Amino acid sequence: MTKKIIVLGNGGREHAICFALSRSPQKPEIWNIATSINPGIKSLGVHIELVKSLEDFESIKIVAKKIEATLIIPGPEAPLAQGISDFCSELEIPCFGPTKKCAQLESSKSWTRNILRNNGVADACPDYLVSTELDDEQRKEFFEKRKGQIVVKADGLLGGKGVIVAGDHFETFEEADAFAQKSIEKFGRVVLEEKLIGIEFSLLSVVDGKTVLDFRACQDHKRVGESDTGPQTGGMGVISDETGSLPFLTPNDLELAHDITVRSMKAVEKETGETFIGIMYGGFIATSKGVQLIEYNVRFGDPEALNILSTLETDFVDICEAACEKDLQRIAQIECTPTATVQKYLCAPGYPDAPEKGVSIDFPETWNRDHAEVFFAGVAEKEGQLISTGGRVLGIVGFGKNLTEANMYCEKMIAKIKSDLFHRSDIGTETLTNERKKTMQSLRAEF
Ligand code: AMP
Ligand code: GLY
């Protein structure tokens, strides 16, 4: 019987998910429930159903029942935080994603820090304070004790705008506290954390309560400008080297990160009584004191998914189904092609504050797919012309025997696309990689 798989969402990440499904030897029928048509997803021969919102579960149910869906894969966090997985359970359709309770791992920073501290994962977390009162002296004490070197985190989903960092976004206590008070007004709580110094990386794992299988480790570049300058974005580009790791990480760093995810998965189950199924996307930081956890997300990263899923060799359908059946142990490990990947988003002028819409894009009909893959994000097709509809428009992944070659192919592909979109040319270069290696060497020397 043909498998019928629904993917929720229509950005670059969801294009990468559909791409991985389309390469499955099981040849599933793929359906995309979307708020607009993604031309890249459409070009894969995916059936598209438009809805007003991905949180409109009744509309999703109508499609799922109509096609007799065998699996649902939510792309973004919002439907998971709203309980799409619990809703799918009622419909008796497997969902590759955690329940609402487990999804708090992303949607509530205070819940996450507290359950990790209470279940033996405190060693992987910075010092923190949860504050609930608008008038709370403890926040000032926390700020002063750490000489202002803190991070303030809103306790709910704010689409990438929920964290402010000392030095980047504020200097004084008053500035930090204005943000903290806004979070208390909106979510009832705020989290203050010690600011960690080190190099960040992402390790995404698929989990089923018993087994944790890691994808290739990678690193996002969040700042809009070259050399990590300018405002934070959703992510401008991601790299991963030919070993499936990063040049500044040791195998021990990845083992530590894996172990934090194993312990955190167990902590979630102990706390909620429910098994976490789906993606645990750890945002880690390698510091002079070892690997620490910055945050968890409960879905694929965007752009991380573009690097991970374009080089995936293990059958993605099998990975998702095995997780839903709590039988991930049947997959020994996740295999990917032994190539480096350099991914960059082409973005609309004005991104991230006010991205221009309607920028026209001339796109080549063919290119060598052994060297590059292209994923569509904020882009639509109007009378045969591709135009931008969002900030991050096209995600280009270059493949190569090392990061330098992967970057060359990524840039070559970008040069074939005629538009006014911009990207970060420094991502994946030897200069930036060497800088990171040097920073990490001096941090390790401090240890
Ligand atoms: P977001 O992805 O919007 O939650 O932003 C999180 C970003 O804030 C991370 O990528 C880090 O750069 C930064 N961040 C969060 N927590 C800390 C921390 N404790 N120390 C240093 N940086 C942090
Ligand atoms: N790469 C950032 C995110 O997906 O949240």
Side-chain angles (χ1 to χ4, degrees):
M1 198 183 75
T2 307
K3 292 178 174 167
K4 297 184 177 182
I5 304 181
I6 293 179
V7 177
L8 300 181
N10 46 274
R13 165 183 45 213
E14 290 76 21
H15 185 185
I17 292 173
C18 291
F19 174 85
L21 292 173
S22 73
R23 298 210 307 183
S24 165
Q26 302 191 51
K27 304 261 169 275
E29 197 175 291
I30 310 166
W31 289 73
N32 180 220
I33 299 189
T35 51
S36 65
I37 294 174
N38 178 321
I41 292 180
K42 192 172 152 198
S43 74
L44 293 171
V46 169
H47 306 265
I48 299 180
E49 293 275 348
L50 291 179
V51 293
K52 285 213 173 67
S53 155
L54 297 179
E55 288 153 63
D56 172 8
F57 293 172
E58 286 304 320
S59 298
I60 295 170
K61 177 176 161 181
I62 291 169
V63 180
K65 289 274 176 202
K66 177 178 83 178
I67 68 164
E68 295 181 13
T70 55
L71 177 68
I72 296 189
I73 306 177
E77 59 276 24
L80 291 163
Q82 294 297 323
I84 187 68
S85 187
D86 310 70
F87 187 78
C88 289
S89 286
E90 283 167 28
L91 301 178
E92 296 183 358
I93 302 171
C95 176
F96 183 68
T99 60
K100 184 174 180 166
K101 274 190 189 165
C102 295
Q104 289 177 93
L105 202 59
E106 174 164 359
S107 62
S108 172
K109 313 268 187 202
S110 63
W111 185 82
T112 300
R113 287 293 184 219
N114 287 339
I115 69 148
L116 298 188
R117 183 185 56 195
N118 297 341
N119 291 283
V121 202
D123 58 301
C125 297
D127 252 0
Y128 72 98
L129 168 78
V130 178
S131 172
T132 54
E133 301 297 322
L134 279 177
D135 200 11
D136 180 355
E137 268 304 302
Q138 287 188 67
R139 290 201 296 276
K140 187 141 204 207
E141 280 165 27
F142 191 87
F143 182 93
E144 284 174 353
K145 192 168 150 208
R146 279 160 196 79
K147 302 193 172 58
Q149 292 308 298
I150 67 161
V151 174
V152 187
K153 299 186 167 184
D155 203 35
L157 296 178
L158 278 181
K161 297 214 184 313
V163 178
I164 59 167
V165 181
D168 292 342
H169 306 101
F170 65 87
E171 302 287 343
T172 65
F173 173 71
E174 286 66 31
E175 288 166 322
D177 213 50
F179 182 87
Q181 292 193 20
K182 271 198 206 133
S183 170
I184 293 173
E185 276 165 9
K186 196 168 167 73
F187 302 113
R189 264 179 308 273
V190 68
V191 182
L192 272 55
E193 282 182 11
E194 157 198 7
K195 180 178 169 182
L196 298 165
I197 307 291
I199 304 268
E200 287 178 55
F201 64 97
S202 307
L203 183 67
L204 283 78
S205 309
V206 48
V207 311
D208 69 353
K210 292 192 297 272
T211 305
V212 172
L213 295 178
D214 302 331
F215 289 98
R216 58 192 307 157
C218 44
Q219 186 186 43
D220 194 4
H221 297 67
K222 293 247 177 96
R223 300 301 195 92
V224 73
E226 307 271 318
S227 307
D228 296 324
T229 52
Q232 289 271 116
T233 68
M236 295 295 290
V238 165
I239 61 165
S240 179
D241 74 19
E242 62 280 11
T243 68
S245 179
L246 292 156
F248 41 84
L249 293 182
T250 64
N252 187 45
D253 291 329
L254 289 183
E255 279 166 29
L256 288 171
H258 174 86
D259 178 62
I260 294 169
T261 296
V262 170
R263 289 187 287 144
S264 303
M265 171 187 77
K266 291 182 180 156
V268 171
E269 181 146 352
K270 196 150 175 246
E271 204 68 30
T272 61
E274 294 176 5
T275 301
F276 192 116
I277 284 173
I279 298 294
M280 283 178 67
Y281 156 3
F284 295 98
I285 183 164
T287 75
S288 63
K289 288 181 279 182
V291 172
Q292 298 274 287
L293 173 77
I294 292 223
E295 63 180 0
Y296 274 115
N297 295 313
V298 300
R299 36 82 194 169
F300 277 108
D302 190 350
E304 284 90 338
L306 281 55
N307 303 58
I308 286 171
L309 295 175
S310 61
T311 50
L312 184 65
E313 292 204 319
T314 308
D315 177 4
F316 186 51
V317 173
D318 196 29
I319 292 175
C320 298
E321 288 182 342
C324 292
E325 291 160 21
K326 299 189 188 176
D327 188 26
L328 269 178
Q329 64 192 5
R330 75 174 183 238
I331 298 173
Q333 67 177 48
I334 293 175
E335 305 284 353
C336 61
T337 49
T339 50
T341 59
V342 171
Q343 180 276 343
K344 308 191 192 200
Y345 258 126
L346 295 185
C347 301
Y351 179 70
D353 299 329
E356 208 176 294
K357 289 199 172 137
V359 177
S360 61
I361 301 148
D362 288 329
F363 193 74
E365 291 205 348
T366 56
W367 68 91
N368 186 338
R369 291 197 135 129
D370 288 337
H371 293 159
E373 213 31 271
V374 179
F375 296 98
F376 285 47
V379 55
E381 195 175 331
K382 205 171 168 191
E383 291 154 10
Q385 174 69 51
L386 289 178
I387 52 160
S388 73
T389 56
R392 298 188 297 177
V393 181
L394 293 174
I396 319 300
V397 190
F399 309 113
K401 61 179 183 296
N402 52 37
L403 286 171
T404 304
E405 191 179 278
N407 182 39
M408 177 194 72
Y409 285 128
C410 181
E411 287 289 342
K412 271 195 173 174
M413 184 64 212
I414 289 173
K416 291 186 207 288
I417 299 167
K418 304 291 170 222
S419 74
D420 286 335
L421 303 173
F422 76 95
H423 71 284
R424 269 184 66 170
S425 61
D426 64 337
I427 295 171
T429 59
E430 273 176 51
T431 315
L432 197 60
T433 309
N434 286 338
E435 259 175 47
R436 302 241 150 104
K437 270 168 97 172
K438 255 169 87 185
T439 308
M440 214 46 242
Q441 271 162 4
S442 59
L443 282 170
R444 289 191 208 279
E446 273 176 35
F447 189 40

